[in-house]
Amino acid sequence: MSPRERILAVASRLFYQEGIRAVGVDTIIAKSEVAKMTFYKHFKSKDLLVLEFLNKRDEQWRAWFEATVHRLAPKVKDRPLAIFDAMEERFSNKDFRGCAFINTMIEVANGDHVAHQAAADHKHKVEKTIRTLLSDAGIEKSEELSKAFLMLIDGAIISAVREGKPGSAKAAKKIASVLLQNQHSKEK
Amino acid sequence: MSPRERILAVASRLFYQEGIRAVGVDTIIAKSEVAKMTFYKHFKSKDLLVLEFLNKRDEQWRAWFEATVHRLAPKVKDRPLAIFDAMEERFSNKDFRGCAFINTMIEVANGDHVAHQAAADHKHKVEKTIRTLLSDAGIEKSEELSKAFLMLIDGAIISAVREGKPGSAKAAKKIASVLLQNQHSKEK
DNA sequence: AAATATACAGACAGGTCTGTCTACTGTCAA
DNA sequence: TTGACAGTAGACAGACCTGTCTGTATATTT
């Protein structure tokens, strides 16, 4: 593993686990066993490292998400509800500490900051993925429903963090299934 | 206004607006026009000030919540859905920056910290209030539904922060009304 | 063998953080 | 008038923050 990869790996783990403000560059440098100048050669500033962390995590998260939903639900019509089974898997991880993008957005506070933009972009992409899952399952008016699903996901994430257990995923799934039934009965 | 009240008022505003870690005691001391020793006379540490901020905000928030729901919905059966109208009022405030308890919980990270306990306590109390609103409206199985409502509220809060506009409250209300209808039709 | 690139170790500057301490001022009551 | 009390102003300690700088070692390429 190259120094650059070590730095990014260590930083990603610590940023997610403890928060961005809580982790200093000195800690990252020490834990990735790298010289300070090597760090600043590869990342011009801490902010740029944060940005790279967010971008990489966005890609990895969405790749995981699509793969897991497909694994859990081979049939397209089962995939919308499988979203919440995927979330439950995530919530059950012992290192789960919520959504890195929500966390960053809250930690940074300033709405103009790049981190907010990154969080907004990430969630928009996730919402688009959900919309595709819904319309592939034959659901009309998938736009409103995908926004509802995203809200349920975020609510479930917060509940899971607060309670320290993954039960909220099942509750969210139940709500989602009611919404789908409701949508279905309206179409008839 | 006594020095102590000034400190707490300034701290509360800044903690909510910018985050706890982001605001140093020096800033609080300067803005509340107080000597440093006066600060430390009234609050033994920053952590204790944070705790008092959270406790006070919990009381004020719930008082506002109950009063607003009652104002918006004089009839008991209208109150469950009025919860989301109340939230929309909150989201529309220009200083809205999410839920102070969620924010604190995320910012602090460590699950054993008092702030987590405070957030958990607050949300439990809110859930209990919601459960009462539901059962007063004649809804059975209010426990499961109150948890669902809380999840919708938290999801709507996150969406509102992310989008910077209060629209998510209406979306959450729509979902809640579907849940209520569904509950109602099951009872029949 | 010499030159170049990369990474190492660690001192340093300049700033911020929490919390402590001293010395001074104004007020009120015994 | 004297003493207690609450508050002010500001220096200070010690830790931590980001980012820069010097000098050295190693490895690869020419």
Side-chain angles (χ1 to χ4, degrees):
Chain A
M1 234 178 159
S2 75
R4 192 179 203 285
E5 288 170 318
R6 283 205 312 270
I7 293 167
L8 191 53
V10 167
S12 297
R13 182 170 50 82
L14 293 179
F15 283 159
Y16 176 67
Q17 217 56 238
E18 298 173 29
I20 289 172
R21 295 186 75 107
V23 179
V25 291
D26 280 352
T27 307
I28 295 167
I29 286 161
K31 295 222 179 188
S32 48
E33 292 182 293
V34 131
K36 201 154 194 179
M37 277 313 283
T38 307
F39 174 92
Y40 277 104
K41 194 197 161 193
H42 290 295
F43 303 96
K44 276 186 79 179
S45 70
K46 185 185 174 182
D47 271 4
L48 289 178
L49 172 62
V50 169
L51 213 61
E52 200 153 323
F53 152 64
L54 290 174
N55 286 334
K56 195 176 175 185
R57 193 168 177 104
D58 166 53
E59 284 172 27
Q60 288 178 339
W61 195 94
R62 286 183 296 117
W64 163 86
F65 182 67
E66 291 209 55
T68 305
V69 168
H70 280 67
R71 171 171 60 79
L72 292 172
K75 298 183 206 156
V76 285
K77 64 180 272 290
D78 293 334
R79 284 180 191 158
L81 285 181
I83 289 171
F84 299 93
D85 298 325
M87 293 313 294
E88 189 174 5
E89 278 194 13
R90 206 133 247 259
F91 295 176
S92 303
N93 191 309
K94 69 174 168 50
D95 294 328
F96 176 71
R97 209 181 74 80
C99 167
F101 300 90
I102 293 174
N103 295 0
T104 303
M105 199 180 60
I106 286 173
E107 225 186 333
V108 171
N110 181 357
D112 300 332
H113 198 279
V114 282
H116 264 255
Q117 199 65 44
D121 287 353
H122 168 77
K123 292 291 183 184
H124 282 143
K125 286 173 185 165
V126 172
E127 197 222 304
K128 206 178 165 188
T129 304
I130 294 172
R131 207 183 315 164
T132 306
L133 290 174
L134 288 171
S135 55
D136 285 356
I139 291 150
E140 289 169 32
K141 276 183 70 179
S142 59
E143 182 161 345
E144 192 190 342
L145 211 52
S146 67
K147 281 185 179 149
F149 271 42
L150 190 58
M151 204 159 76
L152 284 175
I153 290 171
D154 286 343
I157 288 170
I158 298 299
S159 294
V161 171
R162 192 160 36 79
E163 296 167 3
K165 52 188 180 187
S168 59
K170 280 201 166 61
K173 186 181 181 180
K174 214 164 180 174
I175 298 171
S177 77
V178 172
L179 293 181
L180 287 180
Q181 276 170 19
N182 185 258
Q183 192 69 22
H184 198 245
S185 66
K186 268 200 286 182
E187 281 174 23
K188 276 186 182 174
Chain B
M1 234 178 160
S2 75
R4 192 178 202 284
E5 288 170 317
R6 284 205 311 270
I7 294 168
L8 191 54
V10 167
S12 298
R13 182 170 50 84
L14 293 179
F15 283 160
Y16 176 67
Q17 216 57 235
E18 298 174 27
I20 289 172
R21 293 187 76 108
V23 179
V25 291
D26 280 353
T27 306
I28 297 167
I29 286 161
K31 295 221 178 189
S32 48
E33 293 181 293
V34 133
K36 201 155 194 178
M37 278 312 284
T38 307
F39 175 93
Y40 278 103
K41 195 197 161 194
H42 290 294
F43 303 96
K44 276 186 78 180
S45 69
K46 184 185 174 181
D47 271 4
L48 290 178
L49 173 62
V50 169
L51 213 62
E52 200 153 324
F53 152 64
L54 290 174
N55 286 334
K56 195 175 175 186
R57 193 169 176 101
D58 166 54
E59 285 172 26
Q60 288 178 339
W61 196 94
R62 286 184 295 116
W64 163 85
F65 182 66
E66 292 209 54
T68 305
V69 168
H70 279 66
R71 171 170 60 80
L72 292 173
K75 296 184 207 156
V76 285
K77 65 179 270 289
D78 294 334
R79 284 179 191 159
L81 286 181
I83 289 170
F84 299 92
D85 297 326
M87 293 312 293
E88 190 174 5
E89 278 194 13
R90 216 135 246 245
F91 296 175
S92 303
N93 191 310
K94 70 174 168 51
D95 295 328
F96 176 71
R97 211 182 72 82
C99 167
F101 300 90
I102 294 175
N103 295 0
T104 303
M105 198 181 61
I106 286 173
E107 226 186 333
V108 171
N110 181 357
D112 299 332
H113 197 279
V114 282
H116 265 255
Q117 200 63 44
D121 287 353
H122 168 76
K123 292 290 183 184
H124 282 143
K125 286 174 185 165
V126 172
E127 197 222 304
K128 207 178 166 189
T129 303
I130 294 172
R131 207 182 315 165
T132 306
L133 289 175
L134 288 170
S135 55
D136 285 355
I139 291 151
E140 289 169 33
K141 277 182 69 179
S142 60
E143 181 162 346
E144 193 190 342
L145 212 52
S146 68
K147 281 185 178 149
F149 271 42
L150 189 57
M151 205 159 74
L152 284 176
I153 290 170
D154 286 345
I157 288 170
I158 298 298
S159 295
V161 171
R162 191 159 39 77
E163 297 168 2
K165 52 189 180 185
S168 59
K170 280 201 164 63
K173 186 181 181 181
K174 213 163 179 176
I175 299 172
S177 77
V178 172
L179 294 179
L180 287 179
Q181 275 170 18
N182 186 258
Q183 191 70 21
H184 199 244
S185 67
K186 269 202 285 186
E187 280 173 22
K188 276 188 181 173

